[in-house]
Every structure is written in C-alpha cells, then in structure tokens.
Amino acid sequence: MVQSGFSKRPRSWTRVRLRGDREELEIVRRTKVFVEMHYREPISLRDVAAALNYSAAHLTHTFRMQTGSAVTAWIIKRRIRAAVEIWGSGMRRSSTCANASDSTISVILHVSLRSSWA
C-alpha cells in the first residue's frame, strides 16, 4: 500500500478547525439563549445579530451549518412551542391569543391550514 504525503492533516490545521467549531457552537448557544429570553418580543434576525455583535449573514450561516435550521425558523418554532404549552394548559383560546404575538398566531394558522389541506 502506497501512502501519499497528504494522508494526514497537519496538526496546526486540526487545532484551528477545532477552535472554529467551539466558536461556532458558542454562537449557536448564545443565539438560543437570546431567543429564549426574547421570543415574546417582536425580534428578527437582525435584532439577534445586532445583540450578539455579528452580521446577519454570518449568524445565519453559522447557525444553519450547526443546527440545520435558520434563526428565524428557530424563533418561530419557539413561539409555536410556547403557544402550544399555553393552549395545552387549559387556558381559553382568547387568553392564548393574548399571550402570543400576532406573528405567532398567523404562523400557527398558516401551518394549521397547510396541514389540513395536505
């Protein structure tokens, strides 16, 4: 078996890549914490990026590469999960709507209508 000189990665490259992975994971962790703290407010991708001192493009790319999901999709999923929890707690529908943001209600209706027509 012939081994080429390219079979092993240089040690320095491996360290840099691992450091990058840690930094990316930290960006994802900070993003999730920010969304968890502010999902009840009308936040957008730009708001999250500005709060974390990253560009929206960098945040989107890093978050999607690590989670497979977009930041805005993560925000919507968190709002839907909160609405479902409120709904399941026995609150009346009007109370659930009052506790959810308008954008969440429209997303829930859109998803419900899409799934009922599928």
Side-chain angles (χ1 to χ4, degrees), residues 14-76:
T14 305
R15 271 186 265 143
V16 169
R17 188 67 215 144
L18 289 174
R19 188 179 322 123
D21 287 343
R22 276 188 237 123
E23 289 171 5
E24 290 169 0
L25 291 173
E26 181 63 16
I27 290 170
V28 171
R29 185 193 69 76
R30 290 179 60 207
T31 302
K32 288 180 177 180
V33 167
F34 183 85
V35 169
E36 188 64 32
M37 292 173 61
H38 298 279
Y39 72 90
R40 291 180 184 96
E41 302 166 17
I43 57 172
S44 67
L45 168 64
R46 290 181 185 190
D47 297 328
V48 177
L52 301 178
N53 293 323
Y54 293 106
S55 70
H58 179 67
L59 181 62
T60 298
H61 175 76
T62 303
F63 196 85
R64 187 181 299 267
M65 292 299 293
Q66 292 294 324
T67 65
S69 177
V71 175
T72 52
W74 190 268
I75 294 168
I76 291 168

Side-chain angles (χ1 to χ4, degrees), residues 66-99:
Q66 292 294 324
T67 65
S69 177
V71 175
T72 52
W74 190 268
I75 294 168
I76 291 168
K77 287 177 189 176
R78 181 60 185 105
R79 289 174 175 163
I80 290 173
R81 193 168 72 234
V84 168
E85 289 170 1
I86 292 169
W87 196 295
S89 69
M91 269 190 175
R92 296 180 52 190
R93 289 182 184 180
S94 59
S95 300
T96 303
C97 292
N99 287 315

